[in-house]
Amino acid sequence: MRTLVVGLGPRSYRIRIGEGVSSRLTDVLSPFAGRRVAVVSSPRIWSLHASRVERLLRAVGPLSRVLVPEGERAKSLDTLGAIHDAFLRAGLDRRSLVVAFGGGVVGDVAGFAAATYMRGIDWVQLPTTLLAMVDSSVGGKTGINHPAAKNLVGAFHQPRAVVTDTAFLRTLPERELRSGAYEILKCGILGDPVLFRLVARAPGRVEAWGPERTERAIAAACRLKARVVERDEREGGLRRVLNLGHTIGHALEAVTSYRRFTHGEAVGWGLIAATRIAFRRGLLDEQTRDTLSAAVDHLGPRPRVADLDVRDILLAIAHDKKAKDGQVPLILPTAIGQVTTAADVAPAEVRGALAAMGVAERPSPRNRTPVRDRRR
Ligand SMILES: NC(=O)c1ccc[n+]([C@@H]2O[C@H](COP(=O)([O-])OP(=O)(O)OC[C@H]3O[C@@H](n4cnc5c(N)ncnc54)[C@H](O)[C@@H]3O)[C@@H](O)[C@H]2O)c1
Ligand SMILES: [Zn+2]
């Protein structure tokens, strides 16, 4: 088992990482002994893994269970209301404990329910996807989507503990594993050359990484995010470096209505684009550019981008970043393990990088083949 501390003064907490660590749940939660506990999960996760945790949670205190629907759409006001209703029915009070047991969706909505119920009650995270283990379970961002934008409504509410049991990953589909792996690689590129090499030299299929490498990679990614969050808990500035690959990634997700790419796959494309823009600006040499791109590609195939229209992507970026005079701030790699913030990336630069990835202007709308996507 590896343990790391997210040091945020009175809001500090431990992340415990390892195969089977959830077997220590009763111990880890002993500070909460006797309190009412509500575990929030989804039907799929509960049916796959309840046997590992239910008995241990019951040993902490009177347990109630709240299941929320699968998928991004569960991050809604309706789900939030249903969770609050369930907390009330179960008699949760200000001293009760919420346990978020699932991927990033469950973590975000359950964490926000904990942040808002009775002005904020304690919660812990039991992440079950690789993405949640390396990203959403660290840093205390919670929230739901609004019809106008993703993650628009939310709160910073740090968990009291995170228990990351890699055994849960055994049932996670390869594509979801890969989605988390792109985020791990992102952490390596932006601040940890050792982690970068660990991922670049690992087998392309995450399933083949083995427990030791998986655990090391998760711990290193969490450590990197924790160090950034410790210096900038509420995203004043520094925390934005974690958005490496995300501006263009988000735009790719938006123009395909969040159906074609997993989040990590879109970030993978975003990393390649950022690498190309950095190279053209003279921030990266050719060899480093190729090493970075090869490491991204090594993680496996991503859904295509070549049929997308560059104009749609540029519009989505401008919309996302409220671009000034068309220019957007982007995080760009300058070496393996180092990034800089470029405040003024011009649309032509993004266009150039996308062109090199095969994304150009498509024929006029009448002749355009509609993009058909299926995901979620
Ligand atoms: N709060 C943050 O800082 C932060 C950071 C990154 C992402 N996020 C959010 O996280 C969400 C994405 O999270 P995600 O990628 O974990 O998606 P997810 O929670 O939707 O999980 C993906 C799928 O895997 C299934 N699943 C989960 N665990 C499983 C397991 N062990 N075995 C088999 N199937 C399993 C889920 O039921 C779901 O169908 C997004 O809403 C994103 O906005 C938040
Ligand atoms: Zn991300």
Side-chain angles (χ1 to χ4, degrees), residues 42 44-45 48-49 70-72 75 102-106 108 128-129 131-132 135-136 138 141-142 150-151 168-169 171-173 176 179 183 225 239 263 376:
S42 78
R44 184 186 304 166
I45 295 154
L48 285 168
H49 295 297
E70 301 288 336
E72 190 63 33
K75 276 174 57 172
V105 164
V106 166
D108 278 13
T128 63
T129 65
L131 186 115
D135 197 348
S136 57
V138 189
K141 276 194 192 176
T142 70
K150 274 192 75 177
N151 298 323
F168 296 137
L169 298 177
T171 56
L172 195 66
E176 295 293 343
S179 184
E183 293 279 4
K225 183 163 182 189
R239 197 164 165 167
H263 174 67
R376 292 204 172 115

Side-chain angles (χ1 to χ4, degrees), residues 145-149:
N145 300 325
H146 182 276

